[in-house]
Amino acid sequence: MTVAVLDAEDDFEGWRSAARALILADIAPDQVIWQIGDGPTNLFGGAPAALAAPPAGAAFSVPRAFLDLARTVILHADPERFGLLHAALARLRREPGLIGDPADPLMRRLEPMAKEVRRDIHKMRAFLRFREVADGDGARFVAWFQPDHHIVRANADFFLNRFAAMRWTILTPELSLDWDGETLREGPGATRADAPDGDPIEETWKTYYASIFNPARVKIGAMLKEMPRKYWKNMPETALVPELIAGAHAREAGMVTASRETLARDQSGANRLVAWEALRVEASGCTRCPLFAPATQTVFGEGPVDAALMFVGEQPGDQEDLAGRPFVGPAGQLFDRAIADADINRATAYVTNAVKHFKYEQRGKRRLHTRPNAHEIDACRWWIAQERDLIRPRLTVALGATAARSMLGRAVPIGAARGRPHTLDDGGEGWVTVHPSYLLRIPDKAGADEEYARFVEDLRRVKARLADLAA
Ligand code: URA
């Protein structure tokens, strides 16, 4: 037997180099014991056979799709995952088609594991609730969460991006994460009792949840699927669920009085954040138009909830759909470059899309972007109107025709609308410019450079205008 030692349950890089070494040394998956850290001594006793480093230059490549799958499956709680992935890697050298064969028994074990991990990641994002605690340095937010799989580290960036401005701690049985506004630290696991109970932020959640609870939409089975009872005890608003269901019909006529608008106007930073987070969670279950069905997930906006500047794109692309974040693919990289050239810091802006689901046409393995139609844009204005209502940006930049239609409520030619302010219905100021993916489609370099420079010039004007508005 060979013992392969990993640093942690989610040590993908450790698994990857051990699995490569095992395969190059021709050691079969059933001859390997996977051990985490110093771990318990293996069943066979004695010192484990050391795993020899592969000879220099010995390597083999595997499809990227497999690495993505392995990176996800490694987070699963099933101890067999390391061996199953080792077996898949070994077979892939001879059968490169394995990864695309959903009928293969090994793939039929791995794919559901990846799905369960993705679902757990989503649940942590959607159902984790911070409680506010005051310490000597002001407000701090603490949350307790009990995942089914080893997903906490993999989710750290998500919480860092969303809650960079506040100090928070996430306690879980396996480890804790602590963000002090500058550094993220890992600590030991905790228990539910280590996390604080009720505080004013719970009242905010409850008020908010009551205000959005739509009794006409109650489907208890679906609700339980999306929000398993296991998480209910961590979520203050769920304490209201039985009562809200019981009173559903009476409430259907009048609904509850507390509204999101009231909450949003009560603009303490924490309340605004809570209202935004609740909006995001609500949008994650959006079915307002058919685009939700084939998409991986809702891609909601991100950025500071008190941003003075908002950028609105068209819709998430293939990479955004997978990552769950706006503007991270090729158009996003061009966007990042252009705003940096215009001296705008993306971290200070709220970035979102007119349409929150990826619309595409499947061609073989590729998902080709398809433009959203007027109905889809209008259905999604429901969300962007509420994002705007919460954030109240001084200035909103619509990137391209879809965003401009969403922002202005009518179709406008970009050429005529760009480069000047538009007064928006809610009193904010809107600007229109091209979409970065338009620049990516320009075939000749000179033309692309020229259009890029115009785009950056638009953004510089936006930056100058924002400074004027703030003055
Ligand atoms: N294009 C968009 O309009 N939005 C994104 O988030 C990505 C690409």
Side-chain angles (χ1 to χ4, degrees), residues 334 337-338 341 418 434 438-457 460:
L334 189 66
R337 201 178 107 209
D341 284 349
R418 91 190 274 188
V434 292
Y438 157 71
L439 304 174
L440 290 172
R441 288 194 302 268
I442 300 175
D444 66 301
K445 172 144 174 27
D449 288 349
E450 195 178 311
E451 278 303 317
Y452 177 79
R454 280 189 74 197
F455 181 46
V456 172
E457 189 46 42
R460 287 209 179 101

PDB file of all heavy atoms in Angstrom, residues 334 337-338 341 418 434 438-457 460:
ATOM      1  N   LEU A 334     -11.625  43.241 -20.691  1.00  0.00           N
ATOM      2  CA  LEU A 334     -11.457  44.494 -21.451  1.00  0.00           C
ATOM      3  C   LEU A 334     -12.055  45.666 -20.671  1.00  0.00           C
ATOM      4  O   LEU A 334     -11.480  46.761 -20.621  1.00  0.00           O
ATOM      5  CB  LEU A 334     -12.138  44.356 -22.816  1.00  0.00           C
ATOM      6  CG  LEU A 334     -11.847  45.502 -23.767  1.00  0.00           C
ATOM      7  CD1 LEU A 334     -10.374  45.517 -24.145  1.00  0.00           C
ATOM      8  CD2 LEU A 334     -12.683  45.393 -25.024  1.00  0.00           C
ATOM      9  N   ARG A 337      -9.693  46.711 -18.036  1.00  0.00           N
ATOM     10  CA  ARG A 337      -8.549  47.476 -18.574  1.00  0.00           C
ATOM     11  C   ARG A 337      -8.988  48.910 -18.885  1.00  0.00           C
ATOM     12  O   ARG A 337      -8.290  49.870 -18.544  1.00  0.00           O
ATOM     13  CB  ARG A 337      -8.066  46.792 -19.848  1.00  0.00           C
ATOM     14  CG  ARG A 337      -6.653  47.152 -20.195  1.00  0.00           C
ATOM     15  CD  ARG A 337      -6.231  46.389 -21.447  1.00  0.00           C
ATOM     16  NE  ARG A 337      -6.166  47.291 -22.582  1.00  0.00           N
ATOM     17  CZ  ARG A 337      -6.370  46.949 -23.844  1.00  0.00           C
ATOM     18  NH1 ARG A 337      -6.680  45.717 -24.156  1.00  0.00           N
ATOM     19  NH2 ARG A 337      -6.266  47.827 -24.808  1.00  0.00           N
ATOM     20  N   ALA A 338     -10.169  49.041 -19.484  1.00  0.00           N
ATOM     21  CA  ALA A 338     -10.614  50.381 -19.893  1.00  0.00           C
ATOM     22  C   ALA A 338     -10.905  51.265 -18.683  1.00  0.00           C
ATOM     23  O   ALA A 338     -10.531  52.441 -18.667  1.00  0.00           O
ATOM     24  CB  ALA A 338     -11.856  50.255 -20.782  1.00  0.00           C
ATOM     25  N   ASP A 341      -7.721  52.403 -17.318  1.00  0.00           N
ATOM     26  CA  ASP A 341      -7.134  53.467 -18.152  1.00  0.00           C
ATOM     27  C   ASP A 341      -7.842  54.802 -17.924  1.00  0.00           C
ATOM     28  O   ASP A 341      -7.277  55.870 -18.140  1.00  0.00           O
ATOM     29  CB  ASP A 341      -7.198  53.095 -19.639  1.00  0.00           C
ATOM     30  CG  ASP A 341      -6.133  52.052 -19.990  1.00  0.00           C
ATOM     31  OD1 ASP A 341      -5.246  51.807 -19.142  1.00  0.00           O
ATOM     32  OD2 ASP A 341      -6.203  51.474 -21.087  1.00  0.00           O
ATOM     33  N   ARG A 418     -24.714  58.468 -26.769  1.00  0.00           N
ATOM     34  CA  ARG A 418     -23.473  58.421 -25.970  1.00  0.00           C
ATOM     35  C   ARG A 418     -22.896  59.827 -25.772  1.00  0.00           C
ATOM     36  O   ARG A 418     -23.212  60.760 -26.508  1.00  0.00           O
ATOM     37  CB  ARG A 418     -22.465  57.466 -26.604  1.00  0.00           C
ATOM     38  CG  ARG A 418     -21.496  58.040 -27.591  1.00  0.00           C
ATOM     39  CD  ARG A 418     -20.738  56.950 -28.303  1.00  0.00           C
ATOM     40  NE  ARG A 418     -19.552  56.489 -27.577  1.00  0.00           N
ATOM     41  CZ  ARG A 418     -18.650  55.649 -28.099  1.00  0.00           C
ATOM     42  NH1 ARG A 418     -18.812  55.146 -29.320  1.00  0.00           N
ATOM     43  NH2 ARG A 418     -17.592  55.283 -27.408  1.00  0.00           N
ATOM     44  N   VAL A 434     -20.518  52.283 -25.434  1.00  0.00           N
ATOM     45  CA  VAL A 434     -20.580  50.972 -26.106  1.00  0.00           C
ATOM     46  C   VAL A 434     -20.335  49.849 -25.103  1.00  0.00           C
ATOM     47  O   VAL A 434     -19.869  50.086 -23.994  1.00  0.00           O
ATOM     48  CB  VAL A 434     -19.508  50.873 -27.220  1.00  0.00           C
ATOM     49  CG1 VAL A 434     -19.831  51.817 -28.354  1.00  0.00           C
ATOM     50  CG2 VAL A 434     -18.114  51.121 -26.660  1.00  0.00           C
ATOM     51  N   TYR A 438     -18.438  44.696 -27.979  1.00  0.00           N
ATOM     52  CA  TYR A 438     -18.451  45.302 -29.323  1.00  0.00           C
ATOM     53  C   TYR A 438     -17.002  45.546 -29.762  1.00  0.00           C
ATOM     54  O   TYR A 438     -16.623  45.289 -30.909  1.00  0.00           O
ATOM     55  CB  TYR A 438     -19.254  46.604 -29.274  1.00  0.00           C
ATOM     56  CG  TYR A 438     -18.931  47.601 -30.356  1.00  0.00           C
ATOM     57  CD1 TYR A 438     -19.296  47.379 -31.684  1.00  0.00           C
ATOM     58  CD2 TYR A 438     -18.240  48.785 -30.050  1.00  0.00           C
ATOM     59  CE1 TYR A 438     -18.982  48.297 -32.670  1.00  0.00           C
ATOM     60  CE2 TYR A 438     -17.931  49.704 -31.024  1.00  0.00           C
ATOM     61  CZ  TYR A 438     -18.295  49.459 -32.344  1.00  0.00           C
ATOM     62  OH  TYR A 438     -17.976  50.369 -33.315  1.00  0.00           O
ATOM     63  N   LEU A 439     -16.177  46.013 -28.823  1.00  0.00           N
ATOM     64  CA  LEU A 439     -14.775  46.281 -29.159  1.00  0.00           C
ATOM     65  C   LEU A 439     -14.046  44.980 -29.513  1.00  0.00           C
ATOM     66  O   LEU A 439     -13.197  44.960 -30.390  1.00  0.00           O
ATOM     67  CB  LEU A 439     -14.069  46.964 -27.979  1.00  0.00           C
ATOM     68  CG  LEU A 439     -14.724  48.254 -27.477  1.00  0.00           C
ATOM     69  CD1 LEU A 439     -14.023  48.761 -26.232  1.00  0.00           C
ATOM     70  CD2 LEU A 439     -14.705  49.318 -28.563  1.00  0.00           C
ATOM     71  N   LEU A 440     -14.432  43.908 -28.815  1.00  0.00           N
ATOM     72  CA  LEU A 440     -13.763  42.621 -29.086  1.00  0.00           C
ATOM     73  C   LEU A 440     -14.103  42.079 -30.476  1.00  0.00           C
ATOM     74  O   LEU A 440     -13.387  41.249 -31.013  1.00  0.00           O
ATOM     75  CB  LEU A 440     -14.172  41.585 -28.029  1.00  0.00           C
ATOM     76  CG  LEU A 440     -13.625  41.805 -26.617  1.00  0.00           C
ATOM     77  CD1 LEU A 440     -14.254  40.820 -25.635  1.00  0.00           C
ATOM     78  CD2 LEU A 440     -12.108  41.655 -26.596  1.00  0.00           C
ATOM     79  N   ARG A 441     -15.236  42.542 -31.011  1.00  0.00           N
ATOM     80  CA  ARG A 441     -15.662  42.010 -32.319  1.00  0.00           C
ATOM     81  C   ARG A 441     -15.094  42.794 -33.509  1.00  0.00           C
ATOM     82  O   ARG A 441     -15.263  42.388 -34.649  1.00  0.00           O
ATOM     83  CB  ARG A 441     -17.189  41.986 -32.401  1.00  0.00           C
ATOM     84  CG  ARG A 441     -17.845  40.919 -31.529  1.00  0.00           C
ATOM     85  CD  ARG A 441     -19.302  40.732 -31.912  1.00  0.00           C
ATOM     86  NE  ARG A 441     -20.049  41.974 -31.795  1.00  0.00           N
ATOM     87  CZ  ARG A 441     -20.714  42.356 -30.703  1.00  0.00           C
ATOM     88  NH1 ARG A 441     -20.740  41.580 -29.644  1.00  0.00           N
ATOM     89  NH2 ARG A 441     -21.368  43.501 -30.676  1.00  0.00           N
ATOM     90  N   ILE A 442     -14.471  43.948 -33.257  1.00  0.00           N
ATOM     91  CA  ILE A 442     -13.947  44.740 -34.375  1.00  0.00           C
ATOM     92  C   ILE A 442     -12.739  44.012 -34.968  1.00  0.00           C
ATOM     93  O   ILE A 442     -11.772  43.733 -34.264  1.00  0.00           O
ATOM     94  CB  ILE A 442     -13.551  46.163 -33.903  1.00  0.00           C
ATOM     95  CG1 ILE A 442     -14.778  46.862 -33.334  1.00  0.00           C
ATOM     96  CG2 ILE A 442     -12.929  46.965 -35.043  1.00  0.00           C
ATOM     97  CD1 ILE A 442     -14.508  48.217 -32.738  1.00  0.00           C
ATOM     98  N   PRO A 443     -12.814  43.666 -36.276  1.00  0.00           N
ATOM     99  CA  PRO A 443     -11.784  42.772 -36.811  1.00  0.00           C
ATOM    100  C   PRO A 443     -10.416  43.443 -37.005  1.00  0.00           C
ATOM    101  O   PRO A 443      -9.388  42.815 -36.783  1.00  0.00           O
ATOM    102  CB  PRO A 443     -12.361  42.311 -38.154  1.00  0.00           C
ATOM    103  CG  PRO A 443     -13.418  43.309 -38.499  1.00  0.00           C
ATOM    104  CD  PRO A 443     -13.871  43.970 -37.244  1.00  0.00           C
ATOM    105  N   ASP A 444     -10.395  44.724 -37.425  1.00  0.00           N
ATOM    106  CA  ASP A 444      -9.056  45.284 -37.707  1.00  0.00           C
ATOM    107  C   ASP A 444      -8.499  46.011 -36.496  1.00  0.00           C
ATOM    108  O   ASP A 444      -9.223  46.675 -35.754  1.00  0.00           O
ATOM    109  CB  ASP A 444      -9.098  46.207 -38.931  1.00  0.00           C
ATOM    110  CG  ASP A 444      -9.935  47.433 -38.664  1.00  0.00           C
ATOM    111  OD1 ASP A 444     -11.147  47.253 -38.357  1.00  0.00           O
ATOM    112  OD2 ASP A 444      -9.417  48.549 -38.711  1.00  0.00           O
ATOM    113  N   LYS A 445      -7.213  45.878 -36.314  1.00  0.00           N
ATOM    114  CA  LYS A 445      -6.568  46.379 -35.101  1.00  0.00           C
ATOM    115  C   LYS A 445      -6.696  47.893 -34.989  1.00  0.00           C
ATOM    116  O   LYS A 445      -6.994  48.425 -33.913  1.00  0.00           O
ATOM    117  CB  LYS A 445      -5.100  45.935 -35.102  1.00  0.00           C
ATOM    118  CG  LYS A 445      -4.306  46.561 -33.985  1.00  0.00           C
ATOM    119  CD  LYS A 445      -3.288  45.629 -33.423  1.00  0.00           C
ATOM    120  CE  LYS A 445      -2.382  46.289 -32.388  1.00  0.00           C
ATOM    121  NZ  LYS A 445      -2.885  47.404 -31.660  1.00  0.00           N
ATOM    122  N   ALA A 446      -6.510  48.576 -36.122  1.00  0.00           N
ATOM    123  CA  ALA A 446      -6.555  50.050 -36.061  1.00  0.00           C
ATOM    124  C   ALA A 446      -7.945  50.498 -35.619  1.00  0.00           C
ATOM    125  O   ALA A 446      -8.098  51.369 -34.743  1.00  0.00           O
ATOM    126  CB  ALA A 446      -6.211  50.626 -37.423  1.00  0.00           C
ATOM    127  N   GLY A 447      -8.974  49.868 -36.220  1.00  0.00           N
ATOM    128  CA  GLY A 447     -10.355  50.239 -35.855  1.00  0.00           C
ATOM    129  C   GLY A 447     -10.629  49.923 -34.392  1.00  0.00           C
ATOM    130  O   GLY A 447     -11.261  50.702 -33.666  1.00  0.00           O
ATOM    131  N   ALA A 448     -10.136  48.767 -33.937  1.00  0.00           N
ATOM    132  CA  ALA A 448     -10.376  48.371 -32.541  1.00  0.00           C
ATOM    133  C   ALA A 448      -9.680  49.336 -31.590  1.00  0.00           C
ATOM    134  O   ALA A 448     -10.250  49.758 -30.576  1.00  0.00           O
ATOM    135  CB  ALA A 448      -9.867  46.948 -32.320  1.00  0.00           C
ATOM    136  N   ASP A 449      -8.448  49.747 -31.951  1.00  0.00           N
ATOM    137  CA  ASP A 449      -7.713  50.687 -31.080  1.00  0.00           C
ATOM    138  C   ASP A 449      -8.444  52.022 -30.990  1.00  0.00           C
ATOM    139  O   ASP A 449      -8.547  52.632 -29.929  1.00  0.00           O
ATOM    140  CB  ASP A 449      -6.293  50.918 -31.616  1.00  0.00           C
ATOM    141  CG  ASP A 449      -5.414  49.697 -31.401  1.00  0.00           C
ATOM    142  OD1 ASP A 449      -5.853  48.781 -30.662  1.00  0.00           O
ATOM    143  OD2 ASP A 449      -4.304  49.657 -31.964  1.00  0.00           O
ATOM    144  N   GLU A 450      -8.959  52.438 -32.139  1.00  0.00           N
ATOM    145  CA  GLU A 450      -9.644  53.742 -32.183  1.00  0.00           C
ATOM    146  C   GLU A 450     -10.916  53.711 -31.324  1.00  0.00           C
ATOM    147  O   GLU A 450     -11.184  54.606 -30.537  1.00  0.00           O
ATOM    148  CB  GLU A 450     -10.005  54.027 -33.644  1.00  0.00           C
ATOM    149  CG  GLU A 450     -10.377  55.459 -33.914  1.00  0.00           C
ATOM    150  CD  GLU A 450     -10.668  55.627 -35.399  1.00  0.00           C
ATOM    151  OE1 GLU A 450      -9.837  55.161 -36.224  1.00  0.00           O
ATOM    152  OE2 GLU A 450     -11.725  56.167 -35.713  1.00  0.00           O
ATOM    153  N   GLU A 451     -11.668  52.616 -31.461  1.00  0.00           N
ATOM    154  CA  GLU A 451     -12.916  52.506 -30.682  1.00  0.00           C
ATOM    155  C   GLU A 451     -12.627  52.347 -29.189  1.00  0.00           C
ATOM    156  O   GLU A 451     -13.363  52.836 -28.343  1.00  0.00           O
ATOM    157  CB  GLU A 451     -13.755  51.330 -31.183  1.00  0.00           C
ATOM    158  CG  GLU A 451     -14.576  51.653 -32.411  1.00  0.00           C
ATOM    159  CD  GLU A 451     -15.519  52.843 -32.206  1.00  0.00           C
ATOM    160  OE1 GLU A 451     -16.174  52.943 -31.148  1.00  0.00           O
ATOM    161  OE2 GLU A 451     -15.574  53.702 -33.099  1.00  0.00           O
ATOM    162  N   TYR A 452     -11.550  51.655 -28.902  1.00  0.00           N
ATOM    163  CA  TYR A 452     -11.158  51.488 -27.490  1.00  0.00           C
ATOM    164  C   TYR A 452     -10.850  52.862 -26.887  1.00  0.00           C
ATOM    165  O   TYR A 452     -11.289  53.191 -25.780  1.00  0.00           O
ATOM    166  CB  TYR A 452      -9.943  50.559 -27.389  1.00  0.00           C
ATOM    167  CG  TYR A 452      -9.453  50.398 -25.960  1.00  0.00           C
ATOM    168  CD1 TYR A 452     -10.101  49.541 -25.077  1.00  0.00           C
ATOM    169  CD2 TYR A 452      -8.359  51.130 -25.491  1.00  0.00           C
ATOM    170  CE1 TYR A 452      -9.663  49.403 -23.758  1.00  0.00           C
ATOM    171  CE2 TYR A 452      -7.917  51.001 -24.177  1.00  0.00           C
ATOM    172  CZ  TYR A 452      -8.576  50.133 -23.321  1.00  0.00           C
ATOM    173  OH  TYR A 452      -8.154  50.021 -22.012  1.00  0.00           O
ATOM    174  N   ALA A 453     -10.120  53.673 -27.646  1.00  0.00           N
ATOM    175  CA  ALA A 453      -9.761  55.011 -27.142  1.00  0.00           C
ATOM    176  C   ALA A 453     -11.035  55.842 -26.905  1.00  0.00           C
ATOM    177  O   ALA A 453     -11.135  56.581 -25.915  1.00  0.00           O
ATOM    178  CB  ALA A 453      -8.834  55.700 -28.138  1.00  0.00           C
ATOM    179  N   ARG A 454     -12.015  55.700 -27.785  1.00  0.00           N
ATOM    180  CA  ARG A 454     -13.283  56.446 -27.600  1.00  0.00           C
ATOM    181  C   ARG A 454     -14.016  55.968 -26.347  1.00  0.00           C
ATOM    182  O   ARG A 454     -14.608  56.741 -25.617  1.00  0.00           O
ATOM    183  CB  ARG A 454     -14.210  56.232 -28.806  1.00  0.00           C
ATOM    184  CG  ARG A 454     -13.871  57.090 -29.987  1.00  0.00           C
ATOM    185  CD  ARG A 454     -14.951  56.979 -31.051  1.00  0.00           C
ATOM    186  NE  ARG A 454     -16.172  57.700 -30.687  1.00  0.00           N
ATOM    187  CZ  ARG A 454     -17.355  57.520 -31.247  1.00  0.00           C
ATOM    188  NH1 ARG A 454     -17.500  56.618 -32.191  1.00  0.00           N
ATOM    189  NH2 ARG A 454     -18.395  58.213 -30.873  1.00  0.00           N
ATOM    190  N   PHE A 455     -13.955  54.657 -26.141  1.00  0.00           N
ATOM    191  CA  PHE A 455     -14.605  54.071 -24.962  1.00  0.00           C
ATOM    192  C   PHE A 455     -13.959  54.636 -23.682  1.00  0.00           C
ATOM    193  O   PHE A 455     -14.636  55.089 -22.756  1.00  0.00           O
ATOM    194  CB  PHE A 455     -14.443  52.543 -25.038  1.00  0.00           C
ATOM    195  CG  PHE A 455     -15.071  51.760 -23.918  1.00  0.00           C
ATOM    196  CD1 PHE A 455     -16.365  52.042 -23.480  1.00  0.00           C
ATOM    197  CD2 PHE A 455     -14.389  50.714 -23.305  1.00  0.00           C
ATOM    198  CE1 PHE A 455     -16.955  51.295 -22.450  1.00  0.00           C
ATOM    199  CE2 PHE A 455     -14.972  49.967 -22.281  1.00  0.00           C
ATOM    200  CZ  PHE A 455     -16.252  50.267 -21.848  1.00  0.00           C
ATOM    201  N   VAL A 456     -12.616  54.636 -23.683  1.00  0.00           N
ATOM    202  CA  VAL A 456     -11.910  55.148 -22.500  1.00  0.00           C
ATOM    203  C   VAL A 456     -12.225  56.633 -22.316  1.00  0.00           C
ATOM    204  O   VAL A 456     -12.422  57.110 -21.185  1.00  0.00           O
ATOM    205  CB  VAL A 456     -10.382  54.900 -22.624  1.00  0.00           C
ATOM    206  CG1 VAL A 456      -9.617  55.585 -21.505  1.00  0.00           C
ATOM    207  CG2 VAL A 456     -10.092  53.401 -22.625  1.00  0.00           C
ATOM    208  N   GLU A 457     -12.342  57.345 -23.425  1.00  0.00           N
ATOM    209  CA  GLU A 457     -12.661  58.778 -23.332  1.00  0.00           C
ATOM    210  C   GLU A 457     -14.051  58.964 -22.698  1.00  0.00           C
ATOM    211  O   GLU A 457     -14.246  59.827 -21.835  1.00  0.00           O
ATOM    212  CB  GLU A 457     -12.619  59.387 -24.752  1.00  0.00           C
ATOM    213  CG  GLU A 457     -12.707  60.900 -24.807  1.00  0.00           C
ATOM    214  CD  GLU A 457     -11.789  61.597 -23.800  1.00  0.00           C
ATOM    215  OE1 GLU A 457     -10.646  61.154 -23.642  1.00  0.00           O
ATOM    216  OE2 GLU A 457     -12.248  62.561 -23.141  1.00  0.00           O
ATOM    217  N   ARG A 460     -13.644  58.447 -19.069  1.00  0.00           N
ATOM    218  CA  ARG A 460     -12.978  59.586 -18.402  1.00  0.00           C
ATOM    219  C   ARG A 460     -13.986  60.694 -18.130  1.00  0.00           C
ATOM    220  O   ARG A 460     -13.961  61.348 -17.098  1.00  0.00           O
ATOM    221  CB  ARG A 460     -11.853  60.138 -19.284  1.00  0.00           C
ATOM    222  CG  ARG A 460     -10.666  59.225 -19.310  1.00  0.00           C
ATOM    223  CD  ARG A 460      -9.357  60.007 -19.528  1.00  0.00           C
ATOM    224  NE  ARG A 460      -8.257  59.068 -19.508  1.00  0.00           N
ATOM    225  CZ  ARG A 460      -7.641  58.608 -20.604  1.00  0.00           C
ATOM    226  NH1 ARG A 460      -8.006  59.038 -21.798  1.00  0.00           N
ATOM    227  NH2 ARG A 460      -6.663  57.729 -20.493  1.00  0.00           N
TER     228      ARG A 460
END
